[in-house]
């Protein structure tokens, strides 16, 4: 058996430098490594007091970055591809999606959320909220639609019962989307008193199941960290 690689993941530190900070890309890689079932070192980086050794490792880079057997990698997408290739079955869990549609589901949500939450004008709020909500509806519809393997098992099924985007196991797509949905949940509640509607059954089922999994729940930053990160960009509606 090949020697186990030595892996260190560097992620953004919290505001008090005591835990993980708000960074969906950091959380994405944290989840991937945890799901792979490999031992790795997690190092939080306080960019206000970043030690010289980190500047030497990845000059000019922001977390996340990864050291894999002394090789430094700084591009999140390339790190994901690299880990999926290197940490493959039979020794490690495959995280790639079965269906290509799962990779792109929800890809427009964060952009619409950003426009919604950064707008200070009450006159535009309703329009922006509808545009944002439409992306949540679209994701929920995908989660409600049975996947081909579900239809193979039960051709008469009208609504999917799967746990996650691509089936009943976390995939790379979930590691990408869930950290963003967690940010959305926290920020929308604070700045718009907006909750993801429970009427969106597919999305509600998805989030309820996701928060039960330690690989997601325990990699989430504290809600206070998310609000600190958005304090300078999110806008309360002006009266």
């Amino acid at each position: 058996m090949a020697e186990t690689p030595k892996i260190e993941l560097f992620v953004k530190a919290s505001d008090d430098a005591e835990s993980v900070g708000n960074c969906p890309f950091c959380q994405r890689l944290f989840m991937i490594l945890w799901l792979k079932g490999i031992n790795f070192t997690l190092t939080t980086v306080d960019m206000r007091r970043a030690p010289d050794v980190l500047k030497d490792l990845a000059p000019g880079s922001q977390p996340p970055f990864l050291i894999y057997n002394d090789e430094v990698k700084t591009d999140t997408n390339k790190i994901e591809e690299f880990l999926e290739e290197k940490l493959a079955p039979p020794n490690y869990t495959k995280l790639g999606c079965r269906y290509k549609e799962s990779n792109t589901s929800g890809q427009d949500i964060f952009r619409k959320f950003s426009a919604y939450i950064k707008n200070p004008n009450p006159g535009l709020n309703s329009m922006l909220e509808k545009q944002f909500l439409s992306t949540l509806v679209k994701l929920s519809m995908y989660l409600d639609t049975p996947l081909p393997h579900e239809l193979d098992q039960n051709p008469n099924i009208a609504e999917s019962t799967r746990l996650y985007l691509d089936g009943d196991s976390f995939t790379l797509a979930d590691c990408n989307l869930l950290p963003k949905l967690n940010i959305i949940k926290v920020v929308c509640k604070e700045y718009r008193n907006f909750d993801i509607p429970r009427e969106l059954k597919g999305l509600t089922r998805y989030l309820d199941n996701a928060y039960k999994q330690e690989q997601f729940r325990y990699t989430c930053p504290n809600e206070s960290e998310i609000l600190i990160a958005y304090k300078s960009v999110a806008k309360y509606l002006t009266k």
Side-chain angles (χ1 to χ4, degrees):
M1 182 177 171
E3 188 175 344
T4 302
K6 183 180 178 183
I7 299 174
E8 186 169 7
L9 176 64
F10 294 82
V11 300
K12 179 183 175 183
S14 58
D15 194 59
D16 62 8
E18 295 295 322
S19 59
V20 296
N22 176 66
C23 172
F25 306 106
C26 296
Q27 186 179 1
R28 173 180 168 187
L29 296 182
F30 191 175
M31 288 179 68
I32 288 171
L33 285 170
W34 191 336
L35 288 163
K36 285 291 183 184
I38 190 170
N39 290 329
F40 65 97
T41 301
L42 183 74
T43 300
T44 56
V45 181
D46 183 352
M47 295 307 292
R48 295 167 302 185
R49 297 185 289 274
D52 290 338
V53 63
L54 295 183
K55 294 173 183 174
D56 292 339
L57 281 173
S61 294
Q62 295 284 330
F65 46 92
L66 183 95
I67 300 179
Y68 187 99
N69 286 343
D70 299 324
E71 185 179 351
V72 180
K73 297 189 174 294
T74 59
D75 182 286
T76 301
N77 290 333
K78 291 180 179 177
I79 292 172
E80 180 186 271
E81 293 171 6
F82 175 81
L83 292 174
E84 186 67 1
E85 177 189 340
K86 290 290 186 181
L87 305 179
N91 297 322
Y92 304 102
T93 305
K94 178 182 181 294
L95 296 178
C97 287
R98 190 185 314 193
Y99 309 104
K100 66 180 186 298
E101 294 83 5
S102 298
N103 286 313
T104 55
S105 291
Q107 66 179 3
D108 49 352
I109 290 176
F110 210 69
R111 183 167 53 86
K112 297 296 185 183
F113 153 74
S114 295
Y116 172 53
I117 214 67
K118 293 176 181 179
N119 164 55
N121 184 347
L124 297 175
N125 185 64
S126 179
M127 177 193 70
L128 293 170
E129 184 172 295
K130 285 177 182 176
Q131 292 176 351
F132 165 56
L133 186 58
S134 71
T135 65
L136 298 179
V137 171
K138 184 179 175 184
L139 172 60
S140 194
M141 288 175 63
Y142 179 72
L143 290 161
D144 269 334
T145 303
L147 294 172
H149 74 271
E150 292 181 285
L151 291 169
D152 288 343
Q153 294 167 1
N154 181 3
N156 298 317
I157 189 173
E159 195 171 273
S160 177
T161 59
R162 69 187 186 274
L163 301 179
Y164 310 117
L165 281 171
D166 201 61
D168 289 336
S169 301
F170 273 156
T171 60
L172 297 175
D174 299 297
C175 296
N176 185 18
L177 183 59
L178 283 169
K180 297 173 184 176
L181 290 177
N182 183 59
I183 291 170
I184 286 168
K185 179 177 74 76
V186 173
V187 176
C188 284
K189 182 65 176 177
E190 170 66 22
Y191 284 89
R192 295 293 181 271
N193 197 28
F194 175 96
D195 293 303
I196 294 174
R198 299 291 295 182
E199 292 82 0
L200 299 180
K201 292 191 295 181
L203 182 51
T204 296
R205 184 184 73 248
Y206 177 50
L207 288 172
D208 286 349
N209 286 319
Y211 280 111
K212 293 175 185 173
Q213 298 305 311
E214 59 183 7
Q215 295 93 341
F216 175 49
R217 189 170 72 252
Y218 292 150
T219 58
C220 287
N222 292 329
E223 291 189 2
S224 59
E225 282 300 313
I226 296 173
L227 294 177
I228 287 170
Y230 273 81
K231 189 176 181 180
S232 62
V233 291
K235 305 294 182 186
Y236 291 103
L237 292 177
T238 52
K239 296 293 188 286

